[in-house]
DNA sequence: CGACTTTGACCTGCGC
DNA sequence: GCGCAGGTCAAAGTCG
């Protein structure tokens, strides 16, 4: 694996060097940047604990500059109480007279009782997934069409934490555990718990973005939820269609584990979008270093060159697509860098490929530039 | 004794 | 308005 990795890395470096040789010198005016640069999308993924590394400052500066000029931002930070976002969400939940015009509020105004959810499907022999959080069971119910009882848990890390989760075995395959998370934690999380928390935050971001996505964007990525998506993969339906739900599928019937992040919406205005990746194993996939690399490589290598262009176009213009991807990557990275990720704040840029050849490696190159240890 | 689980009752949204 | 199903409450029981 290491050998393959170094080989690929060297290959990337060659491609990048080639690009530099062929690229004209860029103007110092950021607004007059080349076409390639103008296509960049900024993704800011989970930063559960504060830190002050040089890289973090540099990334913040870059991110800030970019947002200033382009107005594009996708934040998935697990913010503390003092940082505000969670307060806004809680306030909007508690107070029906909340008049903020944030994306979440727009969503909640249209769906007052439909909190976004993140559903995780995983092969699990234990009663619940060990997601690093403390939970207290407060109810159990036999749901229709499933003989296995559905258990209801709430987060007990903080007495006021609104996060809840439902745990139920899949009716089709009892070895699969479906865990559905709802809400945003109002307290700092242990590193091992940031994975799902980030995905949950991303769900809110995804759905709020999607609720206001312009029609042209949806036309790029919208696919029927029962048919193969843009990248040629299928993805599962959420457990509950009454709530908008992101599904992270960590199960796979074949050798490669498919990892999908899809957003599903109530059928009345359903325009689901999804991303799907591949990994190497079903068990503990997110903690495998190989999985992290493979997440990027395999998805890109398997997508045909023709699809590369479509993929980049979709990601560029569809906020829900970007959020789903961010959730997927955060889910993986958050776990793997456990113990090392204090203060982690990485900045992931997607560039418009100058050719389909570069399209396949653009993500990985950018990703590795931020994670040289991988 | 406190934390947690179990379980029947109750509440609420939704379709008819 | 009624019935159904999902979700929550809270008293009683269990466990360490």
């Amino acid at each position: 694996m290491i050998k393959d990795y170094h080989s690929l890395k060297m290959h990337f470096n060659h491609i990048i060097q080639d690009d530099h040789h062929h690229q004209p010198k860029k103007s110092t005016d950021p607004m007059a940047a080349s076409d390639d640069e103008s296509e960049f999308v900024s993704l800011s993924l989970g930063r559960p604990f504060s830190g002050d590394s040089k890289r973090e400052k540099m990334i913040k500066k870059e991110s800030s500059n970019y947002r200033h000029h382009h107005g594009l931002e996708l934040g998935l930070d697990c913010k503390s109480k003092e940082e505000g976002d969670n307060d806004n969400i809680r306030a909007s939940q508690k107070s029906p007279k909340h008049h903020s015009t944030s994306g979440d509020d727009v969503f909640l105004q249209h769906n007052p009782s439909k909190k976004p959810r993140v559903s995780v499907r995983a092969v699990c022999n234990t009663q619940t997934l060990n997601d690093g959080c403390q939970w207290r069971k407060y109810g159990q119910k036999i749901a229709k069409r499933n003989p296995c009882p559905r258990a209801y848990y709430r987060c007990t890390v903080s007495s006021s934490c609104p996060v809840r989760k439902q745990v139920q075995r899949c009716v089709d395959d009892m070895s699969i555990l479906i865990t559905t998370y709802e809400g945003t934690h109002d307290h700092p999380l242990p590193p091992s718990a940031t994975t799902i928390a980030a995905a949950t935050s991303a769900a809110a971001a995804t759905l709020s973005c999607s609720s206001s996505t312009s029609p042209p964007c949806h036309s790029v990525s919208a696919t029927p939820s029962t048919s193969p998506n843009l990248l040629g993969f299928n993805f599962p339906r959420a457990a509950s269609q009454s709530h908008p739900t992101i599904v992270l599928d960590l199960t796979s019937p074949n050798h490669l584990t498919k990892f999908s992040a899809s957003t599903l919406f109530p059928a009345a205005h359903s325009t689901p979008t999804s991303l799907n990746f591949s990994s190497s194993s079903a068990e503990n996939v997110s903690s495998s270093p190989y999985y992290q690399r493979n997440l990027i490589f395999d998805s890109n290598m398997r997508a045909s060159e023709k699809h590369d262009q479509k993929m980049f176009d979709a990601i560029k213009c569809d906020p829900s697509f970007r959020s789903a991807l961010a959730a997927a990557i955060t889910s993986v990275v958050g776990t793997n860098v456990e113990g090392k990720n204090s203060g982690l704040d990485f900045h992931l840029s997607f560039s418009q490929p100058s050719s389909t050849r570069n399209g396949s490696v653009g993500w990985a190159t950018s990703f590795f530039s931020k994670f040289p240890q991988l």
Side-chain angles (χ1 to χ4, degrees):
Chain A
M1 283 172 2
I2 291 170
K3 191 179 171 184
D4 287 346
Y5 160 62
H6 283 300
S7 169
L8 282 166
K9 197 173 180 181
M10 284 180 64
H11 186 57
F12 291 161
N13 288 337
H14 280 128
I15 292 169
I16 295 302
Q17 283 172 5
D18 288 348
D19 279 355
H20 280 298
H21 285 139
H22 290 98
Q23 269 179 1
K25 286 189 177 179
K26 287 174 183 166
S27 163
T28 52
D29 179 4
M31 298 304 287
S34 68
D35 286 346
D36 279 4
E37 190 171 4
S38 69
E39 300 292 348
F40 271 72
V41 172
S42 173
L43 288 177
S44 174
L45 303 182
R47 184 174 56 83
F49 296 98
S50 63
D52 58 355
S53 67
K54 284 183 181 176
R55 183 189 296 175
E56 183 180 3
K57 287 176 182 173
M58 187 184 76
I59 290 168
K60 273 186 180 174
K61 192 179 175 184
E62 286 175 359
S63 176
S64 173
N65 286 341
Y66 182 77
R67 287 197 300 269
H68 176 73
H69 291 300
H70 299 264
L72 280 171
E73 179 177 18
L74 176 63
L76 295 170
D77 295 358
C78 300
K79 293 180 179 178
S80 65
K81 214 183 265 187
E82 292 71 26
E83 287 177 282
D85 276 4
N86 286 341
D87 280 344
N88 287 340
I89 293 172
R90 282 196 305 279
S92 67
Q93 288 170 342
K94 286 177 183 173
S95 169
K97 294 181 180 177
H98 190 62
H99 293 300
S100 161
T101 55
S102 72
D104 285 344
D105 295 331
V106 170
F107 172 79
L108 289 172
Q109 282 168 11
H110 290 293
N111 306 271
S113 61
K114 314 287 187 192
K115 295 178 192 171
R117 292 174 170 179
V118 173
S119 185
V120 180
R121 289 165 54 90
V123 176
C124 181
N125 295 324
T126 56
Q127 203 171 6
T128 64
L129 280 174
N130 182 12
D131 50 24
C133 259
Q134 259 188 309
W135 302 95
R136 177 175 181 159
K137 191 175 184 180
Y138 67 90
Q140 181 168 301
K141 199 86 176 175
I142 301 282
K144 207 181 177 185
R145 290 181 294 274
N146 192 339
C148 299
R150 177 184 298 165
Y152 300 90
Y153 296 84
R154 59 166 60 101
C155 179
T156 58
V157 174
S158 155
S159 59
S160 60
C161 184
V163 176
R164 299 185 177 196
K165 77 170 180 180
Q166 299 174 8
V167 179
Q168 188 172 31
R169 293 267 161 206
C170 178
V171 68
D172 297 324
D173 184 350
M174 296 297 182
S175 67
I176 296 174
L177 196 69
I178 302 170
T179 309
T180 305
Y181 297 86
E182 179 184 303
T184 308
H185 293 281
D186 69 347
H187 50 80
L189 293 166
S192 58
T194 57
T195 302
I196 296 301
T200 309
S201 299
T206 298
L207 295 161
S208 61
C209 285
S210 297
S211 67
S212 56
T213 303
S214 61
C217 292
H218 272 272
S219 68
V220 173
S221 58
T223 57
S225 60
T226 53
S227 65
N229 64 15
L230 186 65
L231 301 180
F233 295 110
N234 289 307
F235 57 89
R237 280 195 171 277
S240 169
Q241 291 280 312
S242 62
H243 289 256
T245 306
I246 279 187
V247 178
L248 304 178
D249 191 357
L250 301 180
T251 66
S252 173
N254 51 27
H255 173 65
L256 291 172
T257 294
K258 286 183 179 178
F259 179 82
S260 75
S262 62
T263 64
L264 301 175
F265 302 90
H269 53 282
S270 175
T271 50
T273 57
S274 71
L275 270 182
N276 215 324
F277 303 89
S278 297
S279 77
S280 56
S281 67
E283 300 282 343
N284 276 333
V285 289
S286 61
S287 63
S288 158
Y290 176 71
Y291 178 77
Q292 289 192 23
R293 291 192 293 272
N294 212 28
L295 171 73
I296 302 300
F297 289 127
D298 201 42
S299 63
N300 284 311
M301 298 307 181
R302 281 169 178 273
S304 69
E305 290 186 348
K306 191 193 284 183
H307 280 161
D308 278 350
Q309 186 66 45
K310 285 183 181 178
M311 194 161 61
F312 276 91
D313 288 345
I315 289 167
K316 273 188 308 175
C317 70
D318 190 335
S320 63
F321 221 85
R322 295 199 302 268
S323 294
L325 172 65
I329 293 173
T330 304
S331 172
V332 176
V333 174
T335 296
N336 187 267
V337 295
E338 181 178 342
K340 302 178 191 173
N341 66 342
S342 181
L344 173 67
D345 183 4
F346 68 87
H347 176 270
L348 180 62
S349 297
F350 299 120
S351 63
Q352 170 76 27
S354 54
S355 70
T356 52
R357 173 180 60 94
N358 288 342
S360 292
V361 301
W363 292 9
T365 303
S366 184
F367 188 77
F368 282 126
S369 70
K370 303 303 178 188
F371 292 93
Q373 73 273 25
L374 299 179

